[in-house]
Amino acid sequence: MIARWLLLAALSSSIAATAGYWRGHQNGVRDTQLTTNRQAVSDLSSLIENHRQLINEANAAGQRLAAQTAQRAALDNQTTQELRNALAKTADSRVRCVFDLDVMQSLAAARDRAAQAAATGLDESLPSASTIPGQ
C-alpha cells in the first residue's frame, strides 16, 4: 500500500513538474512576444514621427519657395512696368531705333538679375527693381 502511495506521489509530482514546465514555457513565449511587439510598436511610432517631421519640413520649404516665387514675380512685374514707363517716354525715338540710356541700363540690369537667378536659383535675396549696376 505504501508503494502505491509512493508511486502515486511520484506520478503526481511528475505530472505537476511537466505541467509547471509547460506553463512556464508558455509564459516565457508570451512575454517574449509581448516584448517584441512593444519594440515593433515603438519603432513604428518613431518612424511615423520622423515622417511627420519630414512632411512638416517639406511643407515649410514649399511655403518658402512659394513666397520667394511670389517675391520674384512682384519684382519682375515692377521691372516690366519700369521698362514700359521708360520706353513710353522715348516712343518717338524708337521709331528711329534710338534708345534712352536709362532704358539700356535697365535692360542690362534685368538681364544680369535674370542670369543670376538662373545660375543660383531663388534662395538668395532678391535685389530691388530700381537697383541698376553702375549707378
Side-chain angles (χ1 to χ4, degrees):
M1 177 86 172
I2 293 180
R4 280 187 187 165
W5 282 106
L6 286 175
L7 183 60
L8 186 60
L11 185 61
S12 296
S13 294
S14 175
I15 290 172
T18 303
Y21 170 80
W22 285 112
R23 175 69 180 206
H25 178 72
Q26 288 175 349
N27 287 345
V29 168
R30 186 193 68 227
D31 290 346
T32 302
Q33 287 175 342
L34 182 63
T35 302
T36 303
N37 290 344
R38 283 183 182 161
Q39 183 62 42
V41 167
S42 174
D43 291 345
L44 287 174
S45 296
S46 175
L47 185 62
I48 288 169
E49 183 58 33
N50 288 342
H51 284 178
R52 185 174 292 126
Q53 289 174 354
L54 288 174
I55 289 169
N56 290 339
E57 289 173 12
N59 286 338
Q63 290 173 350
R64 284 192 308 271
L65 182 59
Q68 289 173 347
T69 302
Q71 185 180 10
R72 182 82 229 173
L75 181 62
D76 290 346
N77 289 338
Q78 183 180 356
T79 302
T80 301
Q81 189 59 44
E82 287 176 2
L83 287 173
R84 284 182 182 155
N85 293 342
L87 287 171
K89 289 191 294 185
T90 59
D92 59 331
S93 298
R94 281 193 319 248
V95 173
R96 297 181 307 269
C97 293
V98 176
F99 289 93
D100 187 25
L101 180 60
D102 291 340
V103 171
M104 296 308 292
Q105 287 176 340
S106 293
L107 286 172
R111 182 196 64 227
D112 293 342
R113 287 194 306 272
Q116 182 181 8
T120 62
L122 297 175
D123 288 338
E124 297 186 12
S125 63
L126 301 172
S128 68
S130 62
T131 303
I132 299 174
Q135 285 190 356

